């Protein structure tokens, strides 16, 4: 039996549930009632609101990715220097929330950040009453970082523990102290992990919806929300499809950029996925 | 040459109860090529890493130029290391790998360029400066590792089995080249290997180690010709080792026969170990022989034949340039200066408890 046979179910699955919907979207973006139309494209580019929302999505994804990196790298680094058993235990704490549904986690934050939530109450105890936490841009950013942080930590951690310790010794041997060794050797060698972390955070962050609706109270609509609204609420399949395609192109562009970056970062190390 | 550049004083190292080094005393003279030789697990790499500063001794201290190195981290020591697997930086090209140490010391750019280029020339890698290290062969990577260490002009170069991964011919070439570099630069080399031939060819001084203890220190000639104990004799070259009894000064009995020898100063009838090098066992015609034996096997080794001859229950290993007939009888003669007498180690488990 040919081994390629085993891949047929997968190919069928891909065709049915990934390729077909894609074609469906392309069709709805350019055709109406079987006739070619540029109406939706025009609409998507003419209305400044769409552009503004897209920009906001990109900004949020950037900020979220940056925060994840700033939080995630030191965490991964600390984990990598710990004893294997301790690190394994601690990384369970990072992975554990991922076993919970994404929406549930976000709902939990909604409760925590709410005006009668525990954080507000603690703040008002110290005299900071009426601090608005929920339905702020900060809350949306928090939700994004919280949800995607593990995807930053894990690939970096994987690369760091695989790092050949003799490279660190070699740097020390050549006169580099701890800090210099980190910036000249450890960090450059962990770039593959950083890049795959960025990819794993940036792409879901730019396409996210629901977080902004639940934690931003609809005030900070993101591109994902916009697509959802067009298709689900307004029933405007054409415009929704065009917006989806624009996002898709954006994602593809960022993947290409990341892959380029990964190649120049060298062959050492590896990626998690 | 006579200045003691590095001194290890009563250095011990335990790894969670396992002793890697036990009360080692050693000095390294300025400009010498010292080899730490021993089987794996003998503590030679630990000793090197203690000198480099990657490992702190459990007790004892290391002096360099008389100054205690106890609190000195590796990056402040005036030594550089050539690592076993080279540990070249994969994210840097050949030039930047070699320039790494100089850049950290903020040497001016023009000087870095000059020194790196002259190093590249010295290790025969001119024109390779822009290559990535993973595009180099094992031998070329080895050269880069040497250049990366030597460009810093260390007082001591530590080499941790640097030629282990190379094929035989390349290894021989590099041995000669390393020796040449060491002599022309006048830098002290501390070289770790388990290859006795390598140690004999390159070193000024060899320290033979076993079980975290130095068994013997001396010139290659001393160690080969006058091994201190049966372990050294066996490890340095091949040996026939038999139990014997020292009958009197210059008289030893082994394998059921009495021989003349050149050793004295043992107790009367003291049990000893007798070591005879395979090339010192002579095959002669039975008329002149001390004894006769039966040829068990003969193996062509290139320069010589390795012949195994059984006599009185002991199988002698003999190196000879003349072939003999397997299964035949040969006469064997052992001259007095071929016989080396060793004291029996107290309970022959290992030499660790000396």
């Amino acid at each position: 039996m040919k081994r390629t046979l085993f891949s047929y179910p997968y190919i069928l699955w891909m065709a049915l549930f990934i390729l077909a919907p894609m074609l469906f979207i392309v069709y709805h973006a350019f055709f109406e009632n079987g006739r070619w139309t540029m109406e939706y494209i025009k609409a998507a580019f003419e209305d400044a609101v769409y552009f503004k929302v897209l920009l906001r999505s990109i900004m949020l994804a950037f900020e979220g990715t940056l925060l994840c990196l700033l939080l995630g790298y030191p965490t991964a680094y600390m984990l990598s220097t710990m004893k294997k058993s301790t690190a394994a235990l601690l990384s369970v704490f990072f992975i554990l929330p991922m076993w919970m549904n994404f929406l549930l986690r976000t709902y939990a934050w909604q409760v925590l950040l709410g005006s009668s939530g525990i954080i507000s109450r603690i703040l008002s105890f110290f005299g900071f009453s009426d601090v608005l936490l929920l339905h702020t841009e900060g809350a949306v950013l928090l939700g994004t970082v919280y949800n995607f942080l593990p995807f930053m930590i894990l690939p970096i951690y994987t690369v760091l523990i695989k790092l050949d310790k003799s490279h660190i010794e070699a740097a020390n041997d050549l006169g580099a102290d701890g800090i210099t060794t980190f910036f000249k050797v450890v960090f450059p060698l962990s770039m593959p992990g950083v890049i795959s972390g960025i990819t794993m955070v940036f792409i879901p962050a730019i396409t996210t919806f629901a977080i902004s609706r639940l934690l931003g109270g609809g005030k900070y609509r993101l591109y994902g929300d916009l697509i959802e609204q067009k298709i689900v609420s307004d029933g405007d399949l054409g415009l929704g499809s065009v917006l989806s395609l624009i996002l898709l192109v954006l994602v593809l562009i960022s993947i290409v950029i990341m892959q380029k970056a990964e190649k120049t970062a060298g062959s050492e190390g590896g990626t998690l996925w | 040459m006579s200045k003691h550049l590095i001194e290890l004083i009563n250095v011990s190292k335990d790894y969670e109860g396992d002793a890697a080094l036990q009360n080692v005393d050693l000095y390294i003279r300025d400009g010498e090529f010292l080899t730490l030789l021993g089987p794996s697990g003998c503590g030679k790499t630990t000793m090197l890493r203690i000198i480099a500063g990657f490992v702190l001794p459990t007790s004892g201290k290391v002096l360099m130029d008389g100054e205690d190195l106890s609190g000195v981290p590796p990056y402040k020591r005036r030594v550089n290391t050539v690592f076993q697997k080279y540990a070249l930086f994969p994210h840097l090209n050949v030039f930047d790998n070699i320039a790494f140490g100089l850049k950290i010391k903020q040497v001016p750019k023009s000087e870095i360029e000059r020194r790196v280029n002259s190093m590249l020339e010295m290790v025969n890698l001119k024109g390779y400066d822009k290559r990535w290290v993973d595009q180099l062969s094992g031998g070329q990577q080895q050269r880069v590792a040497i250049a990366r260490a030597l460009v810093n002009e260390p007082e001591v170069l530590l080499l941790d089995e640097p030629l282990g991964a190379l094929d035989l011919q390349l290894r021989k070439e590099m041995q000669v080249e390393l020796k040449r570099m060491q002599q022309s630069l006048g830098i002290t080399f501390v070289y770790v290997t388990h290859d006795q031939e390598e140690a004999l060819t390159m070193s000024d001084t060899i320290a033979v180690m076993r079980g975290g203890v130095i068994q013997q220190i001396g010139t290659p000639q001393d160690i080969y010709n006058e091994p201190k104990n049966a372990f050294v004799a066996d490890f340095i070259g091949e040996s026939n080792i038999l139990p014997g009894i020292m009958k009197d000064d210059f008289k030893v009995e082994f394998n059921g026969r009495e021989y003349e020898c050149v050793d004295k100063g043992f107790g009367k009838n003291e049990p000893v170990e007798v070591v005879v090098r395979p090339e010192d066992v002579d095959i002669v015609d039975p008329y002149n022989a001390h004894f006769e034996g039966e040829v068990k096997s003969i193996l062509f080794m290139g320069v010589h034949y390795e012949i195994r001859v059984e006599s009185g229950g002991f199988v002698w290993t003999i190196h000879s340039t003349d072939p003999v007939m397997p299964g035949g009888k040969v006469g064997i003669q052992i001259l007095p200066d071929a016989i080396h007498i060793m004291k029996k180690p107290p309970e022959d488990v290992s030499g660790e408890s000396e």
Side-chain angles (χ1 to χ4, degrees):
Chain A
M1 197 164 72
K2 273 184 22 187
R3 264 201 245 167
T4 47
L5 218 59
F6 291 115
S7 66
Y8 288 174
Y10 178 65
I11 291 171
L12 187 70
W13 177 272
M14 295 263 287
L16 270 178
F17 296 105
I18 295 179
L19 195 62
M22 284 294 196
L23 293 173
F24 202 59
I25 285 173
V26 173
Y27 176 80
H28 281 288
F30 293 104
F31 291 93
E32 186 156 45
N33 301 325
R35 280 203 316 279
W36 172 263
T37 174
M38 292 295 279
E39 279 304 304
Y40 299 122
I41 297 274
K42 239 193 259 167
F45 281 99
E46 264 171 5
D47 197 336
V49 171
Y50 301 142
F51 188 65
K52 228 179 90 188
V53 175
L54 182 64
L55 219 56
R56 182 189 291 142
S57 277
I58 295 172
M59 275 308 292
L60 180 89
F62 263 119
E63 287 166 8
T65 309
L66 190 67
L67 273 175
C68 280
L69 184 61
L70 290 177
L71 290 171
Y73 199 101
T75 312
Y77 186 80
M78 280 192 300
L79 281 175
S80 74
T81 58
M82 285 172 187
K83 260 206 313 203
K84 273 255 159 62
S85 52
T86 322
L89 185 72
L90 278 174
S91 48
V92 167
F93 288 116
F94 292 106
I95 296 167
L96 207 59
M98 286 161 70
W99 294 352
M100 232 188 326
N101 181 278
F102 166 81
L103 278 178
L104 282 181
R105 275 179 281 161
T106 309
Y107 273 118
W109 273 111
Q110 203 177 23
V111 176
L112 283 172
L113 295 173
S115 53
S116 54
I118 187 153
I119 297 171
S120 285
R121 274 195 243 163
I122 291 171
L123 283 177
S124 64
F125 177 80
F126 288 107
F128 301 99
S129 49
D130 298 330
V131 183
L132 199 63
L133 294 171
L134 199 60
H135 302 171
T136 58
E137 210 171 338
V140 180
L141 192 58
L142 177 81
T144 310
V145 171
Y146 175 77
N147 274 308
F148 300 130
L149 186 58
F151 297 103
M152 183 64 85
I153 294 175
L154 289 177
I156 296 175
Y157 171 67
T158 318
V159 171
L160 283 176
I161 51 165
K162 279 199 291 185
L163 202 87
D164 191 345
K165 296 287 174 289
S166 68
H167 289 136
I168 297 169
E169 284 185 354
N172 289 337
D173 188 74
L174 294 167
D177 57 19
I179 295 168
T180 315
T181 302
F182 177 80
F183 284 108
K184 294 239 172 201
V185 175
V186 178
F187 188 70
L189 288 181
S190 65
M191 273 318 275
V194 171
I195 288 163
S196 70
I198 290 175
T199 316
M200 305 256 331
V201 172
F202 186 77
I203 288 164
I206 204 172
T207 54
T208 189
F209 62 108
I211 292 182
S212 54
R213 199 179 58 215
L214 295 174
L215 300 180
K219 279 191 284 179
Y220 303 94
R221 267 196 314 175
L222 298 178
Y223 219 59
D225 301 305
L226 204 61
I227 294 169
E228 190 200 18
Q229 184 208 323
K230 285 292 162 216
I231 295 176
V232 179
S233 319
D234 302 355
D236 192 345
L237 210 53
L239 191 52
S241 298
V242 168
L243 297 180
S244 301
L245 281 180
I246 290 171
L247 194 55
L248 189 68
V249 169
L250 208 67
V251 167
L252 287 178
I253 288 171
S254 47
I255 288 176
V256 169
I257 292 172
M258 296 299 176
Q259 274 179 345
K260 274 247 164 74
E262 186 151 19
K263 263 190 203 127
T264 49
S267 49
E268 185 77 357
T271 50
L272 186 53
W273 283 278
Chain B
M1 187 73 186
S2 60
K3 191 181 85 172
H4 294 182
L5 185 59
I6 290 182
E7 245 175 299
L8 274 73
I9 300 168
N10 203 19
V11 169
S12 295
K13 176 67 191 175
D14 285 9
Y15 286 112
E16 286 156 16
D18 282 340
L21 283 181
Q22 298 181 50
N23 309 319
V24 168
D25 286 301
L26 174 76
Y27 60 81
I28 302 164
R29 282 187 295 250
D30 195 7
E32 84 174 322
F33 194 123
L34 177 113
T35 298
L36 304 173
L37 175 68
S40 63
C42 73
K44 56 191 192 299
T45 296
T46 303
M47 194 131 105
L48 197 78
R49 291 169 63 78
I50 283 176
I51 299 172
F54 300 133
V55 172
L56 294 177
T58 313
S59 65
K61 57 184 171 182
V62 182
L63 305 183
M64 185 162 174
D65 268 337
E67 176 203 353
D68 189 358
L69 287 181
S70 297
V72 183
Y75 62 89
K76 283 189 180 158
R77 298 190 182 193
R78 288 161 297 157
V79 302
N80 283 114
T81 308
V82 176
F83 290 86
Q84 194 168 13
K85 290 191 211 114
Y86 320 143
L88 298 176
F89 303 123
H91 62 297
L92 301 176
N93 64 23
V94 169
F95 185 94
D96 289 330
N97 259 284
I98 300 174
F100 191 90
L102 298 178
K103 281 185 180 164
I104 281 167
K105 285 176 205 95
Q106 297 183 332
V107 172
K109 218 172 170 185
S110 59
E111 197 191 328
I112 291 182
E113 214 150 288
R114 185 179 58 73
R115 278 165 73 174
V116 171
N117 284 329
S118 81
M119 266 303 144
L120 280 168
E121 207 162 318
M122 179 165 154
V123 297
N124 287 327
L125 283 178
K126 225 175 147 187
Y128 283 76
D129 48 342
K130 291 284 174 287
R131 298 270 189 106
W132 294 98
V133 291
D134 57 6
Q135 297 171 328
L136 302 178
S137 69
Q140 290 165 338
Q141 291 186 18
Q142 176 62 70
R143 287 157 199 269
V144 175
I146 292 165
R148 184 179 68 172
L150 281 179
V151 77
N152 302 288
E153 294 168 4
E155 288 193 40
V156 181
L157 187 71
L158 308 172
L159 302 104
D160 187 3
E161 309 218 16
L163 308 183
L166 305 182
D167 62 61
L168 185 66
Q169 196 177 350
L170 204 52
R171 203 155 70 215
K172 296 258 184 225
E173 274 175 41
M174 286 304 293
Q175 286 173 8
V176 175
E177 262 187 75
L178 275 174
K179 186 71 190 167
R180 174 180 61 81
M181 283 181 217
Q182 189 256 338
Q183 279 167 341
S184 69
L185 295 170
I187 293 176
T188 309
F189 274 35
V190 181
Y191 193 96
V192 162
T193 185
H194 62 266
D195 183 335
Q196 42 103 4
E197 215 182 302
E198 199 166 282
L200 292 172
T201 6
M202 300 171 79
S203 320
D204 297 319
T205 310
I206 297 176
V208 184
M209 297 182 67
R210 182 201 198 184
V213 177
I214 295 179
Q215 305 288 318
Q216 186 173 359
I217 304 177
T219 64
Q221 289 83 352
D222 284 349
I223 298 231
Y224 189 85
N225 293 329
E226 296 300 327
K228 247 189 186 161
N229 57 38
F231 170 76
V232 175
D234 198 31
F235 195 74
I236 308 285
E238 277 181 87
S239 292
N240 296 291
I241 302 174
L242 315 84
I245 290 168
M246 204 65 188
K247 285 301 198 193
D248 205 342
D249 283 355
F250 312 116
K251 262 201 177 80
V252 63
E253 187 195 296
F254 56 89
N255 208 20
R257 189 178 301 270
E258 207 168 283
Y259 294 83
E260 264 180 67
C261 64
V262 294
D263 298 81
K264 61 177 170 116
F266 292 85
K268 248 196 160 96
N269 293 322
E270 184 182 335
V272 291
E273 280 183 326
V274 178
V275 173
V276 184
R277 295 286 186 196
E279 66 271 26
D280 293 342
V281 182
D282 299 325
I283 295 178
V284 293
D285 69 77
Y287 185 70
N288 292 326
H290 283 123
F291 59 86
E292 273 189 24
E294 190 194 337
V295 179
K296 286 289 178 193
S297 68
I298 173 162
L299 211 60
F300 180 57
M301 305 291 285
V303 179
H304 62 264
Y305 292 91
E306 185 170 294
I307 302 159
R308 297 202 190 271
V309 174
E310 200 241 288
S311 169
F314 184 79
V315 179
W316 291 85
T317 302
I318 302 165
H319 291 173
S320 166
T321 46
D322 299 320
V324 291
M325 282 302 289
K329 295 257 181 207
V330 288
I332 284 177
Q333 187 184 45
I334 300 167
L335 296 173
D337 63 359
I339 296 168
H340 304 282
I341 311 291
M342 318 268 148
K343 273 196 184 304
K344 250 195 157 50
E347 250 338 278
D348 187 27
V349 189
S350 67
E352 284 169 3
S353 50
E354 266 185 68

